[in-house]
Amino acid sequence: MTAPETPASAPEPFGTRLRRAMDERGPLCVGIDPHASLLSAWGLDDDIAGLERFTRTVVETLAGSVAVFKPQSAFFERFGSRGIAVLEKAVAELRAAGALVVMDAKRGDIGSTMAAYAETFLHKDAPLFSDALTVSPYLGYGSLKPAVELARENGAGLFVLALTSNPEGAEVQHALREDGRTVAATVLGHLADENAGQEPLGSFGAVVGATLGDLSSYDLGINGPLLAPGIGAQGATPADLPAVFGPAVRNVVPSVSRGVLRYGPDAAGLRGAAERFADEIRAAVEAA
């Protein structure tokens, strides 16, 4: 299957913008995860004022230098409509500063409900319009069609859960189908089809944990980005990336949350941590 050609009048695809952002700013995604313990570590209360202060500090300090940000929607949603308002403002300000936003919402449903989720995050006129969205394919990859179509139409992308680092994921992702392929390999195959012929990088990526060790039994060459959580607090290091991702390592988008955020609220500490991770990741990728 060959992915549709992009019309000349269409928005610039997410994959093209992502490749450029990582080349210019460094291959790093900073997660924005304002959970209660992190707010407390920053000396903030676990309330809307603390959420606003935390988010504003991260955006003002890093938006102009980091390539990609991944806000975890749940940590904003728990504050209700006021939390969503903070998230909307952060998304708009990050994108205005030239950063790309991957909304970590892990949505997955069927039919009109999946279409509504897609419109929430992938329609260019939506308040939460993001450059990409994390989605779950475990109602069947075909259930993602509304999100795939709207992302393509608006120059956005998807990161589809494929090989996640949580131990519970293996019972589904490593399960064998009748054709002998694992469920994860099937998801990766669909993504390779979506990205066929796209240059310099397709817009439909996979979530693949950086803590998983040798993945040489899987074909990660999907011509799309590989969002890789697990660097930093979860135990993986930039030096691990070539061994985990092999020939696909240049397309990895390593995601670091606590490894950077624990240095806040000091702006210099946040900037220094982000710069160190970006430099170490770049060095590991170039040495591979």
Side-chain angles (χ1 to χ4, degrees):
M1 184 176 85
T2 301
E5 294 184 5
T6 302
S9 59
E12 189 174 34
F14 170 68
T16 302
R17 295 184 290 117
L18 177 62
R19 175 85 280 153
R20 181 170 62 244
M22 292 200 298
D23 289 346
E24 294 177 353
R25 293 190 175 196
L28 177 65
C29 171
V30 172
I32 305 180
D33 298 353
H35 48 75
S37 61
L38 188 53
L39 293 177
S40 177
W42 279 37
L44 301 172
D45 291 330
D46 185 25
D47 58 16
I48 194 67
L51 178 73
E52 289 176 330
R53 176 69 180 274
F54 174 92
T55 307
R56 183 172 66 251
T57 300
V58 173
V59 172
E60 291 179 351
T61 304
L62 299 178
S65 57
V66 171
V68 186
F69 289 86
K70 182 173 70 65
Q72 171 47 259
S73 180
F75 291 122
F76 295 85
E77 292 177 35
R78 69 193 184 99
F79 291 101
S81 60
R82 296 175 70 189
I84 296 298
V86 173
L87 181 59
E88 287 179 6
K89 183 177 180 182
V91 169
E93 292 180 349
L94 288 167
R95 299 189 74 240
L100 301 182
V101 174
V102 175
M103 183 61 69
D104 195 358
K106 299 183 180 71
R107 297 302 196 250
D109 215 304
I110 61 172
S112 60
T113 308
M114 188 68 240
Y117 280 138
E119 289 168 4
T120 301
F121 299 105
L122 300 171
H123 193 286
K124 62 181 178 60
D125 296 324
L128 284 169
F129 176 58
S130 303
D131 297 283
L133 172 69
T134 60
V135 293
S136 173
Y138 297 112
L139 289 173
Y141 185 85
S143 67
L144 300 180
K145 183 178 180 182
V148 170
E149 292 178 344
L150 197 60
R152 207 183 295 279
E153 178 182 332
N154 288 285
L158 297 178
F159 284 101
V160 182
L161 301 179
L163 288 161
T164 60
S165 55
N166 62 306
E168 303 88 348
E171 69 182 44
V172 174
Q173 296 159 18
H174 295 173
L176 290 176
R177 290 161 36 96
E178 291 182 358
D179 62 5
R181 292 199 302 170
T182 65
V183 171
T186 301
V187 171
L188 293 169
H190 284 300
L191 292 170
D193 289 342
E194 301 288 4
N195 295 321
Q198 300 301 299
E199 295 181 358
L201 188 66
S203 298
F204 299 94
V207 178
V208 179
T211 58
L212 294 177
D214 182 7
L215 292 175
S216 58
S217 61
Y218 284 94
D219 183 1
L220 301 178
I222 62 171
N223 191 36
L226 302 168
L227 182 64
I231 302 289
Q234 294 182 47
T237 69
D240 296 328
L241 294 173
V244 177
F245 292 95
V249 70
R250 187 169 181 267
N251 294 337
V252 171
V253 185
S255 179
V256 182
S257 298
R258 284 172 289 173
V260 170
L261 300 178
R262 68 187 181 92
Y263 289 95
D266 178 64
L270 288 169
R271 278 194 294 269
E275 290 170 2
R276 286 193 300 274
F277 273 110
D279 290 342
E280 290 175 14
I281 293 164
R282 185 187 289 108
V285 170
E286 291 177 351

